[in-house]
């Protein structure tokens, strides 16, 4: 295997070497993002949904206690919203002032959620760049290889060996294959990350709406 890898690098030249470096960097970013998503428990909303349901039915103390067991990104944001609403309820405010402050609070929590999601989306643009550059680098290597092959054909004239030319052509095409081999799995990974982010964004919007539309009036007594 090491010999075949070394032979591949020799045949593909510097373009394949560059693609190898890019693939290693892309793999490192993908693994780091996978760990980040797992640590933030992206997509895991079972406890949070239960807590929001309890909150809406008036069992607010138990709702906040349930969220203490969840270390996900969504749980932290929802818990912050619930704590802030309870603090707002304890302030002697008029109905209009309360509505204004509640709206500001919702905007603040939404901005915080957007900031957290932006952090999760970091480095995905770098992976997008890899998806665009890798095939172009492969094509560039192929063009250089074809130029070299046709130069050899011109110099050989009528004595050109078809086997040698065929060998030169497949070596030239090797870089395109390497470029696609790098771009395709990275594209799959980026699509997966972006899909998870979109679902997380939609879930957060629904959960926050559930918390705020429960109202900040007098809550029902906890059971």
């Amino acid at each position: 295997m090491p010999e075949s890898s070394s032979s591949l690098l020799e045949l593909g030249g510097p373009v394949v070497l560059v693609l190898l470096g890019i693939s290693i960097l892309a793999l490192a970013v993908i693994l780091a993002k996978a760990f980040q998503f797992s640590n933030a428990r992206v997509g895991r909303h079972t406890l949070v949904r239960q807590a929001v349901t309890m909150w809406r039915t008036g069992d607010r103390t138990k709702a906040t206690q349930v969220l203490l067991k969840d270390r996900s990104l969504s749980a932290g944001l929802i818990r912050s919203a619930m704590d802030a609403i309870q603090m707002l309820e304890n302030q002697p405010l008029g109905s209009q002032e309360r509505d204004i402050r509640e709206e500001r609070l919702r905007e603040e929590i939404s901005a915080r959620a957007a900031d957290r999601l932006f952090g999760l989306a970091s480095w995905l643009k770098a992976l997008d760049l890899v998806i665009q550059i890798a095939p172009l680098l492969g094509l560039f290597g192929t063009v250089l290889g074809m130029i070299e092959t046709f130069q050899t054909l011109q110099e050989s004239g009528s004595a050109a060996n078809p086997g040698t030319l065929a060998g030169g052509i497949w070596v030239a095409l090797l870089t395109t294959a390497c470029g696609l081999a790098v771009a395709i799995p990275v594209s799959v990974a980026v699509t997966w990350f972006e899909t998870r982010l979109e679902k997380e964004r939609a879930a957060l919007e629904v959960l926050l709406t559930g918390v705020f539309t429960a109202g900040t009036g007098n809550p029902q007594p906890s059971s």
Side-chain angles (χ1 to χ4, degrees):
M1 183 67 178
E3 292 182 1
S4 62
S5 299
S6 176
S7 176
L8 183 66
L9 290 175
E10 290 177 1
L11 290 172
V15 173
V16 171
L17 188 61
V18 171
L19 286 171
L20 177 62
I22 290 175
S23 66
I24 293 173
L25 291 175
L27 178 60
V29 172
I30 289 171
L31 292 177
K33 296 304 296 182
F35 175 78
Q36 184 185 22
F37 273 52
S38 176
N39 191 48
R41 298 177 65 84
V42 174
R44 301 177 186 179
H45 306 122
T46 302
L47 288 178
V48 183
R49 293 184 190 279
Q50 291 176 3
V52 172
T53 300
M54 294 173 185
W55 173 269
R56 292 183 63 82
T57 57
D59 198 355
R60 298 190 170 185
T61 301
K62 192 171 182 179
T64 54
Q65 290 176 347
V66 167
L67 290 175
L68 290 175
K69 304 175 185 178
D70 195 339
R71 300 178 61 186
S72 66
L73 177 148
S74 58
L77 290 168
I78 298 301
R79 188 169 62 247
S80 296
M82 289 180 177
D83 291 341
I85 288 175
Q86 287 179 324
M87 289 180 61
L88 185 61
E89 289 174 345
N90 294 328
Q91 296 178 8
L93 301 172
S95 177
Q96 184 176 2
E97 179 66 18
R98 188 182 300 277
D99 290 342
I100 293 174
R101 294 201 180 187
E102 182 181 352
E103 183 62 28
R104 289 177 181 173
L105 175 61
R106 183 167 185 172
E107 291 176 358
E108 180 184 341
I109 298 295
S110 297
R112 195 181 305 173
D115 183 64
R116 298 285 182 85
L117 291 172
F118 180 78
L120 287 174
S122 62
W123 288 96
L124 291 185
K125 289 295 183 183
L127 292 179
D128 277 331
L129 188 61
V130 170
I131 295 171
Q132 297 176 31
I133 286 180
L136 293 177
L137 279 174
L139 182 60
F140 177 66
T142 295
V143 171
L144 292 179
M146 294 297 289
I147 290 173
E148 184 177 348
T149 298
F150 282 110
Q151 282 180 334
T152 302
L153 175 62
Q154 183 182 22
E155 293 171 358
S156 301
S158 58
N161 186 345
T164 302
L165 292 176
I169 292 172
W170 80 258
V171 168
L173 292 173
L174 179 65
T175 58
T176 295
C178 289
L180 292 174
V182 172
I184 291 173
V186 174
S187 178
V188 171
V190 169
T191 300
W192 185 81
F193 286 131
E194 289 180 342
T195 301
R196 294 293 297 275
L197 275 177
E198 286 301 316
K199 289 183 178 179
E200 185 73 9
R201 183 177 290 106
L204 278 173
E205 184 176 346
V206 171
L207 292 169
L208 287 172
T209 299
V211 171
F212 281 98
T213 55
T216 57
N218 296 321
Q220 300 175 21
S222 300
S223 57

